[in-house]
Amino acid sequence: MTAESGRLPLAKPVIGARERELVDSVLASGQLSLGPMLARFERAWAERIGVRNAIACSSGTAGLHMCLHAAGIGPGDEVITSSFSFVASANAVLFTGADVVFAEVDPLTFNMDPAAVEAAITPRTKAIVIVDIFGYPANIPALLDIANRHGLAVIEDACQTIDGAYDGKKLGTWGHPAVYGFYANKQLTTAEGGIILTDDDDLALLLKSLANQGRSDDGAWLVHSRLGFNYRLSDVHAAIGVAQLERLDDMLAGRARAAQWYQDRVASIPGVAPMYEGDQERSWFVYAPRLDEGIDRDAVIGHLDHLGVSAKPYLPCIHLQPFYREEFGYAPGVLPVTEAISASTIALPFFPEMTEAQVEQVTTALASVLADMSVAAGA
Ligand SMILES: Cc1ncc(COP(=O)(O)O)c(C=O)c1O
């Protein structure tokens, strides 16, 4: 077997006959957008999470942007978020014209450190975008306490924590809107898509309108009562989502199973630390253990690639992205904890149908690469 034929991808969606059947039914119905499949997808999410409203949209990014817009965030405002996230967490803030302020993260959970968030508050701060990175829930109660004391809006970027909970209480039920993302590598995919969960009926009406070009709240034909966006999720995408929801428990269990195989094996490999297992339950999105300081991650990735194992530096911090450096003058050193984590975490192949043999293949390759590099470094 060559490295190519047996190559393990980083992510792989589970798509089967049910997804095709429901997509086909939408195509046959002729109602490709704003139809019953969209309503069915939204209802199924609201029921699953136990919230009054689920508003589907074209992406997680679109959901975050709409929530910030609906909270009245705009030019002159500051919004605090994590730089150890996908770029969309901060970009959504910039879309509103507001400024992003990055707070340091906790070295274990990789989520925003509440003390750092509080320290970052200024008279211009209007909101916090909580991020649950790598599917591990942020310290929601502590962050909500800060937001309440300072009168700040809260939006949760739960795009990596599909179906997550903090202290057993589902994300989306904490009183602020939470956004899930359904890109193809996520725990549940609609190819592209997202959903906002909220118990607030007025906010839900506003979000529904914003996603549909500011359509009037009574849905009147081509009456636009506010400036909105086209952030609709089509019924074709929603059909994939309905089928995926039917198998979500199985897919989550598959990820959790693969994660456990990884955790057990990685724990015994010198030079790499398994992922953090704290009090909260992680919604397994990626498997991204942390290499010891001083190990050349790019070299590890290159060697793994030769052995047929895909791996990526994950996650680059937002403030050091070229656009953020050029636009805002960021340079290495401003967020040392975030930067150290970002320089050492490595995403390995991870998907629901992964077998124990495949996990073994990855960890055996990783162990041999790290051992060889350690011998070379000592030589
Ligand atoms: C933390 C985080 N926020 C936001 C997003 C944006 O979601 P989307 O790609 O659906 O716009 C993602 C997607 O990868 C993400 O991981």
Side-chain angles (χ1 to χ4, degrees), residues 59-61 64 85-86 88-89 157 159-160 186 193:
S59 68
T61 311
L64 292 171
S85 184
F86 182 62
S89 307
D157 179 344
C159 287
Q160 296 195 353
K186 292 283 159 42

Side-chain angles (χ1 to χ4, degrees), residues 111-115 117-118 128-132 138-149 152 154:
N111 286 319
M112 278 194 297
D113 174 358
V117 171
E118 186 137 34
I128 303 173
V129 174
I130 299 176
V131 183
D132 308 295
N139 189 339
I140 310 282
L143 292 168
L144 287 186
D145 176 57
I146 293 168
N148 290 339
R149 280 191 283 107
L152 307 178
V154 174

Side-chain angles (χ1 to χ4, degrees), residues 76-80 101 120-128 150-152:
D77 297 338
E78 285 178 358
V79 177
I80 300 173
V101 175
I121 293 173
T122 74
R124 290 209 284 132
T125 309
K126 290 290 174 333
I128 303 173
H150 294 271
L152 307 178

Side-chain angles (χ1 to χ4, degrees), residues 56-94:
C57 48
S58 53
S59 68
T61 311
L64 292 171
H65 180 205
M66 281 197 291
C67 288
L68 286 157
H69 183 85
I73 307 302
D77 297 338
E78 285 178 358
V79 177
I80 300 173
T81 194
S82 171
S83 178
F84 192 62
S85 184
F86 182 62
V87 70
S89 307
N91 282 355
V93 173
L94 298 185

